Amino acid sequence: MKILKAACIAFVMILAIPAAVRYSQLRANAADGVSPGASVADRDGHLRVPDDYRTTYQLLGSWAIAAGDGGGSKEIHVVYASPGVIDAYRKDKRFPDGAVLIKEVFKATTSEMTTGTVSRAGALKGWFVMVKDTPNKHPDNALWGDGWGWSWFEAGDRSRMTTTNYKAQCLACHVPARTSDWVYVDGYPPLKN
């Protein structure tokens, strides 16, 4: 029985070691400024939504976008950062080159609960992906500029970008956050010391 127990423990350890090594490498790379964004952007600067962001990225926070009628929210935004970005930002108060931010945008569902009127995430509308790019690696690509790669993906097809020009389709929403590197950092408690 002891041999079987030891064999089971050894088997579990063998399975767990590669995952732990991969996670620690991702965290170390992000903290050192090594580009975790390389797996999100191809050599031409086309972005994609990574399959595993919910399990390997860090949760930054969420936003509720108020409905026009004052009855709850119309959207819920949930934002993730690639591994190590939070620690790097807290250290230097800037996003390291290669940092990836992924915002999930959900239609909100609002209903009455015992705590009052509550809005929660409903159907997924899509993803907004940003990759920090200090050296401007893709100067001829209209998705890149002002220190970031920018792109929107509809929920129906996470592999197809619908953004064609970040200046026309993304930047206007981020103008109020220009002084904080185009990101609304005040809404993300993990970035605060």
Side-chain angles (χ1 to χ4, degrees), residues 96-121:
D97 191 53
V100 180
L101 303 180
I102 297 177
K103 176 171 58 176
E104 297 174 316
V105 177
F106 295 92
K107 292 180 185 175
T109 300
T110 301
S111 60
E112 293 299 319
M113 297 182 77
T114 57
T115 55
T117 304
V118 176
S119 295
R120 62 186 177 282

Side-chain angles (χ1 to χ4, degrees), residues 143-167:
L143 300 175
W144 295 77
D146 286 296
W148 291 90
W150 318 65
S151 198
W152 171 258
F153 300 81
E154 295 290 335
D157 186 357
R158 72 187 295 161
S159 65
R160 190 176 71 84
M161 295 178 297
T162 58
T163 306
T164 56
N165 185 308
Y166 87 95
K167 286 183 180 178

Side-chain angles (χ1 to χ4, degrees), residues 32-86:
D32 292 340
V34 176
S35 179
S39 64
V40 177
D42 67 17
R43 66 181 179 161
D44 296 322
H46 298 102
L47 301 175
R48 70 177 190 81
V49 179
D51 294 330
D52 61 352
Y53 71 92
R54 282 188 177 166
T55 57
T56 60
Y57 280 36
Q58 300 170 295
L59 180 65
L60 274 183
S62 59
W63 297 82
I65 310 303
D69 62 6
S73 299
K74 67 178 180 179
E75 288 182 348
I76 304 292
H77 297 184
V78 181
V79 183
Y80 299 85
S82 54
V85 168
I86 292 172

